[in-house]
Amino acid sequence: MQILGIETSCDETGIAVYDDNVGIISNNLYSQKKIHNKYGGVVPELASRDHIKKIIFLMKKTLKDINFDISKIDAIAYTAGPGLVGSLLVGATFANALSFAWNIQSIPINHIEGHILSPMLEKKKPSFPFLALLVSGGHTQLILAKNYGQYLLLSESLDDAVGEVFDKIAKLLGLNYPGGSLLSKLAKNGNPKRFFFPRPMTNKSGLELSFSGLKTAVMQSFKKINTHDQQTYADIACAFEDAIIDTLIIKSERALNITGLSNLVISGGVSANHKLRKKMKKMMSDRGGYVFYPRKEFCTDNAAMIAYAGTFKKQRTVKNLKINVYPRLPINNTF
Ligand code: KG4
Ligand code: ZN
């Protein structure tokens, strides 16, 4: 079985083909980073216009990768939500137009399910049930993954997502959008002891997550210092990164204790963070459990994870050509 995957939920246009015998046989991605960089965040109207500009080019590249052999493609999986409505509509319309032209079914996919399943694209795969920590630009969630398509949201950030806070603090430190990985690089030269920022909601029991207070604390320290010294910037970046990582570790451990699970999946853009990976790995091996990540290129948005998620829906979805998108789609709706 081969599934064509299409991802356009935010500022990355992606098209990939997953073959259930071979794995990913084509994976193409165009990032709009440069377009949004000068605005310090994603401009939705520019994002959807650019998806329109790039999607046909990416499709041609994908067809070339598979030697124009569309006879083996069984279905087209596309991100139907959550995401930016205009961006989602480009992918959904394109997928359904192809579905009509090729007379094969189109499958709506929940983008969050794509992220949760992204480590399944690796050799070392997690087995169900597992705890998923999704840390991306738009979401910070702890999810109990019972099986394909069966997810229970345990907790999510009451305000900013972790990736969003990384990007805002990176901007404060004069780094380009999206600044998560640049901030992490800067933090490597920082002194972890010079600043200390709160580990939000960790004094209270429970799984609640909130990151806007931490963001404000960092911003206030930054204002007080009033310097452009690069070492100070690195020290702030380091203390901020440590606060985020400690908080995520504390909350993940609690969720593992509550659920009794020993497998942890960490996915979404922030899961590319080297220090987070290292510390989570240590925490899990101390507990006798295992942690699973996607490779770095599959941490951030991509179509490979959408194509993979489509393989489990193929038999279940009745062919339809409804172009519906869901900007605020919850994880308990996986179609
Ligand atoms: O999953 P993703 O591509 O987008 C959403 O679906 O929301 O995640 C993008 C986010 C951005 O906020 C980016 O700054 C962050 O992931 N990110 C990182 C790192 N690499 C990407 N944050 C921290 N450390 C990194 N190494
Ligand atoms: Zn995403």
Side-chain angles (χ1 to χ4, degrees), residues 1 21 35 38 57 94 102 114 137 169 195 211 218 245 317 325:
M1 175 172 45
N21 283 318
I35 293 172
K38 57 177 176 262
F57 166 73
F94 193 75
W102 292 351
I169 301 302
F195 296 94
F211 295 95
V218 178
I245 293 173
T317 320
V325 293

Side-chain angles (χ1 to χ4, degrees), residues 7 9-10 12 82 111-112 115 134 136-139 268-269 299-302 305:
E7 159 62 35
S9 66
C10 189
E12 253 111 21
H111 178 82
I112 296 174
H115 276 301
L134 170 68
S136 71
H139 297 89
C299 289
T300 41
D301 290 347
N302 65 85
M305 65 185 192

Side-chain angles (χ1 to χ4, degrees), residues 4-6 55 75-79 88-102 104-108 320-321 323:
L4 180 88
I6 298 177
I55 201 160
I76 301 155
Y78 65 96
T79 303
L88 289 167
L89 272 171
V90 177
T93 311
F94 193 75
N96 281 290
L98 275 183
S99 156
F100 180 69
W102 292 351
I104 56 176
Q105 85 188 75
S106 65
I107 309 169
N320 65 24
L321 277 177
I323 301 175

